[in-house]
Amino acid sequence: DAGVIQSPRHEVTEMGQEVTLRCKPISGHDYLFWYRQTMMRGLELLIYFNNNVPIDDSGMPEDRFSAKMPNASFSTLKIQPSEPRDSAVYFCASSPPRGRAVYNEQFFGPGTRLTVL
Amino acid sequence: GQSLEQPSEVTAVEGAIVQINCTYQTSGFYGLSWYQQHDGGAPTFLSYNALDGLEETGRFSSFLSRSDSYGYLLLQELQMKDSASYFCAVGSGYSTLTFGKGTMLLVSP
């Protein structure tokens, strides 16, 4: 299996621009998570989906952030407009359905390093 | 909510044994997990404890005491490649994890 795929791997943009991050989960996984990692705040859960439905978006920092999962193999995280404080590494992770695994192991993608100037 | 405490940095030499502690406060508990992250890489799963006691996987072991809200990761026969950040994470249900801030392990020759 190819693992979780994220694109782009690096993104440099200017303040005020729209940024779209993309994720393809592992086939057969029905949970998808978006995380943000910074030195100050560590690894924070932004939002997660189950069977393409957003379950908990309480970690989304503000209305500038939105996430969608139109089908089982694709999700996007959008920031509009972007600000310098959004600079971070954004990880997508997926996990298999409950019942197929004893524990909630999450499989992380390589991440997107976002820099907002 | 959940909160986790772990040391920010630990140093050790090759061949040694190191223990990384984690204490947690949680409103619901579904197990304690450990993840490894090399610099510039993605977190990868190491171990999981749902019940009290020790789980061993090769050179790595993980321990949990639910009554003390405490766990640790034990790394034996340290190698240079073990230099990485190690995160404990608490599950409040099957799906979600709350991660600690991570412990940076530096292994020297």
Side-chain angles (χ1 to χ4, degrees):
Chain A
D1 205 333
V4 176
I5 298 172
Q6 291 188 247
S7 64
R9 295 293 308 276
H10 301 272
E11 178 82 26
V12 180
T13 190
E14 293 188 347
M15 182 174 62
Q17 296 299 306
E18 178 180 293
V19 175
T20 299
L21 311 181
R22 297 173 175 80
C23 175
K24 177 179 170 56
I26 293 173
S27 177
H29 286 192
D30 65 353
Y31 285 90
L32 183 138
F33 308 85
W34 283 102
Y35 290 91
R36 177 173 67 177
Q37 186 175 38
T38 62
M39 288 295 293
M40 289 295 294
R41 301 177 67 88
L43 197 59
E44 304 173 277
L45 177 65
L46 300 177
I47 184 172
Y48 81 94
F49 296 81
N50 181 221
N51 290 317
N52 313 336
V53 176
I55 304 300
D56 184 355
D57 66 354
S58 59
M60 296 286 261
E62 41 194 284
D63 292 345
R64 298 183 297 105
F65 286 70
S66 63
K68 294 182 180 180
M69 191 165 187
N71 57 62
S73 59
F74 183 67
S75 177
T76 60
L77 178 67
K78 185 175 294 187
I79 308 173
Q80 166 63 17
S82 58
E83 297 183 3
R85 60 192 167 127
D86 301 331
S87 297
V89 181
Y90 291 81
F91 287 102
C92 174
S94 68
S95 63
R98 185 169 188 171
R100 276 182 50 191
V102 174
Y103 42 80
N104 52 359
E105 178 181 353
Q106 295 185 12
F107 296 78
F108 283 75
T112 296
R113 183 173 296 275
L114 174 64
T115 303
V116 183
L117 302 174
Chain B
Q2 285 84 19
S3 68
L4 298 96
E5 293 289 333
Q6 53 181 128
S8 60
E9 187 174 308
V10 173
T11 59
V13 297
E14 270 189 304
I17 299 173
V18 72
Q19 178 174 312
I20 299 174
N21 299 318
C22 175
T23 58
Y24 59 87
Q25 291 183 328
T26 179
S27 55
F29 183 78
Y30 198 79
L32 184 70
S33 300
W34 289 91
Y35 284 73
Q36 178 192 59
Q37 184 180 29
H38 285 98
D39 192 30
T44 57
F45 174 83
L46 286 178
S47 68
Y48 171 78
N49 295 71
L51 303 176
D52 291 354
L54 192 69
E55 294 282 343
E56 298 181 66
T57 307
R59 295 187 296 114
F60 295 179
S61 303
S62 57
F63 172 82
L64 174 65
S65 169
R66 288 175 297 169
S67 60
D68 295 322
S69 296
Y70 164 76
Y72 65 73
L73 180 69
L74 190 74
L75 298 88
Q76 303 181 75
E77 302 173 15
L78 281 174
Q79 302 175 9
M80 295 294 290
K81 66 178 182 179
D82 298 329
S83 292
S85 291
Y86 293 84
F87 296 85
C88 58
V90 170
S92 57
Y94 172 76
S95 51
T96 58
L97 292 173
T98 300
F99 285 83
K101 290 289 180 67
T103 299
M104 183 178 294
L105 171 63
L106 301 173
V107 181
S108 57

